[in-house]
Amino acid sequence: MPRKIIEILTLMNNEMKFLKTVCIVFILNLPIVLLHGEENKDEKYKQIFTKEKAFKDIAKNVFHIQGKVVDENGKPLNNVTLEVEKSISLGFLGSKDSSYKKTINSQFDIEEKNCSVVHLYFSKQGYYKVYKPITHRLLKDHQADIKNLKITMMTVGEKAKHKTRAIVLRYLPGKTNDIYDVISFKEKEIAGDGNKNIPLNNFYLDIKRDANGKYKTYNYRGIQVPEIVTLNLNCKDKDGIIVVRGENDVRNLRLAPENGYIEKSISFSSKDDVFNNNIVFYFKLGNTFGKGRVGKLFVSKNGQIKVLLDIMKNLEKDPKKIRIVSGKTH
């Protein structure tokens, strides 16, 4: 019996003059083929990706990570639990994760192969948990040799001044958009669409679009609603968001990482009630650290999307305390 296929054909006109993309996706672990059309009809095939090829490429990756764990005074910490999670991310091809735990006495030296990201979780009774992501962007020729990585764990009970706020961000495609300034803690409604004219240090909603600016929709009570929504943070290059994988209680986010804030957005489906488990994250804006929680999503009768967002930011100026993000977000 022939294997099933899903064919997605996008034709810009009857003559196929502006054919942009034809995707043939083979399921049941079959190859995935992307065909990019051009105005020259003779040039049909540009790139061919297979899951096997992607895995072989990631299999070349080697992360060598060496460092130490200290307390807020710089003294070595013993009996620290280190959880190492290896993640193989293939984008639309899927992902695969595995993890293990070990006890370390201040020093750690690990080597992980065949993965695209290494997530490090440090925990010790009486101290705030520390999360450190080591991403593929640190790889050079499939090698990442990280030495003298310093992990600082702070004693539970350290207090830090902070400010919390629960807000609702609203977005009606093509018409209005709410923005939220993390520094001033002020909300504002602007006219227009998605990512246009958004000031720095602001959270806002947008739609997941393809290379041609198109996005998928679904029918919600007679209204076409965007299927994939993104929560975005407009910020400088070294600032951004870290989503904490495997965590659904924002109260467990205690000490913000020093770096690794590569992502600028969080994507989620407006069709599924995915927020029963929450999406929690750290954020960084210059010397301002904080944490957040994406809550319930609503769709109004006119197609307006509403997302509940809890934000807590640190108000400390003391360098030893600016990353403490304990406390509630609402």
Side-chain angles (χ1 to χ4, degrees):
M1 177 178 290
R3 293 175 173 174
K4 297 180 180 179
I5 64 172
I6 300 172
E7 298 184 347
I8 305 171
L9 305 177
T10 305
L11 305 180
M12 302 305 293
N13 57 32
N14 292 335
E15 296 179 355
M16 300 176 65
K17 181 177 180 179
F18 300 108
L19 176 63
K20 295 297 183 182
T21 306
V22 179
C23 297
I24 301 177
V25 180
F26 292 83
I27 60 174
L28 300 176
N29 292 323
L30 297 178
I32 290 186
V33 183
L34 301 184
L35 292 79
H36 298 274
E38 304 290 342
E39 291 188 3
N40 179 1
K41 297 178 183 178
D42 293 332
E43 186 181 0
K44 294 182 179 180
Y45 295 87
K46 297 295 292 183
Q47 292 179 322
I48 297 179
F49 297 101
T50 66
K51 184 175 289 189
E52 290 76 14
K53 181 179 183 301
F55 273 116
K56 287 181 180 179
D57 196 48
I58 291 177
K60 301 176 184 177
N61 295 344
V62 178
F63 292 85
H64 184 203
I65 309 165
Q66 176 269 328
K68 62 181 180 179
V69 184
V70 298
D71 63 14
E72 57 264 45
N73 297 314
K75 296 182 179 179
L77 276 180
N78 295 328
N79 296 316
V80 176
T81 299
L82 169 59
E83 180 179 359
V84 181
E85 180 185 76
K86 296 169 52 176
S87 178
I88 302 174
S89 179
L90 301 178
F92 61 87
L93 290 172
S95 61
K96 182 179 180 181
D97 301 321
S98 62
S99 65
Y100 64 89
K101 293 182 180 181
K102 60 187 297 186
T103 300
I104 59 174
N105 290 322
S106 183
Q107 303 287 335
F108 59 92
D109 190 339
I110 59 176
E111 183 175 282
E112 300 299 334
K113 302 178 181 179
N114 190 27
C115 58
S116 53
V117 184
V118 178
H119 304 275
L120 302 178
Y121 301 87
F122 299 85
S123 61
K124 178 178 173 65
Q125 186 174 4
Y127 291 82
Y128 291 130
K129 294 179 181 178
V130 175
Y131 165 58
K132 178 70 177 178
I134 309 296
T135 73
H136 66 279
R137 300 194 182 193
L138 298 176
L139 291 167
K140 293 183 179 179
D141 297 326
H142 297 282
Q143 301 286 323
D145 191 10
I146 301 170
K147 297 180 179 179
N148 301 318
L149 179 62
K150 185 179 178 181
I151 301 297
T152 302
M153 301 187 71
M154 304 193 74
T155 306
V156 172
E158 281 284 341
K159 296 182 179 180
K161 296 179 182 179
H162 61 268
K163 189 172 184 179
T164 64
R165 187 78 183 275
I167 60 174
V168 176
L169 290 181
R170 302 169 299 170
Y171 178 43
L172 185 58
K175 294 186 178 180
T176 58
N177 196 6
D178 285 348
I179 60 176
Y180 183 70
D181 191 322
V182 181
I183 303 300
S184 65
F185 263 53
K186 291 182 179 180
E187 299 171 62
K188 183 179 179 181
E189 181 181 293
I190 61 175
D193 201 4
N195 56 9
K196 296 179 181 178
N197 303 317
I198 305 294
L200 283 175
N201 305 325
N202 275 265
F203 280 103
Y204 66 98
L205 299 179
D206 200 358
I207 295 171
K208 188 79 170 182
R209 298 176 172 86
D210 63 20
N212 299 317
K214 304 296 183 180
Y215 55 88
K216 293 182 180 180
T217 64
Y218 70 99
N219 189 295
Y220 177 79
R221 299 180 182 178
I223 300 174
Q224 291 301 119
V225 178
E227 183 176 330
I228 304 297
V229 179
T230 60
L231 172 68
N232 307 273
L233 179 59
N234 190 28
C235 56
K236 297 180 180 179
D237 289 342
K238 293 184 179 180
D239 297 337
I241 297 169
I242 296 178
V243 176
V244 183
R245 300 162 50 111
E247 181 61 70
N248 55 32
D249 190 344
V250 72
R251 293 172 297 183
N252 291 333
L253 276 58
R254 300 289 187 170
L255 186 66
E258 291 184 88
N259 46 47
Y261 297 84
I262 298 172
E263 302 302 326
K264 313 298 181 186
S265 65
I266 304 171
S267 297
F268 41 85
S269 171
S270 62
K271 294 174 62 176
D272 303 323
D273 186 12
V274 298
F275 303 112
N276 288 332
N277 294 323
N278 300 318
I279 300 176
V280 299
F281 59 91
Y282 294 106
F283 67 85
K284 175 182 177 294
L285 294 169
N287 291 326
T288 298
F289 292 85
K291 63 181 179 179
R293 179 182 74 94
V294 181
K296 185 72 177 178
L297 180 146
F298 305 90
V299 179
S300 300
K301 293 181 179 180
N302 65 347
Q304 185 182 67
I305 299 167
K306 300 178 182 179
V307 174
L308 177 63
L309 182 65
D310 295 325
I311 291 291
M312 191 212 82
K313 78 167 182 177
N314 187 301
L315 300 177
E316 293 283 354
K317 294 183 179 180
D318 184 348
K320 293 183 178 181
K321 292 187 176 183
I322 60 174
R323 293 193 294 118
I324 298 178
V325 293
S326 58
K328 297 181 179 179
T329 60
H330 54 83

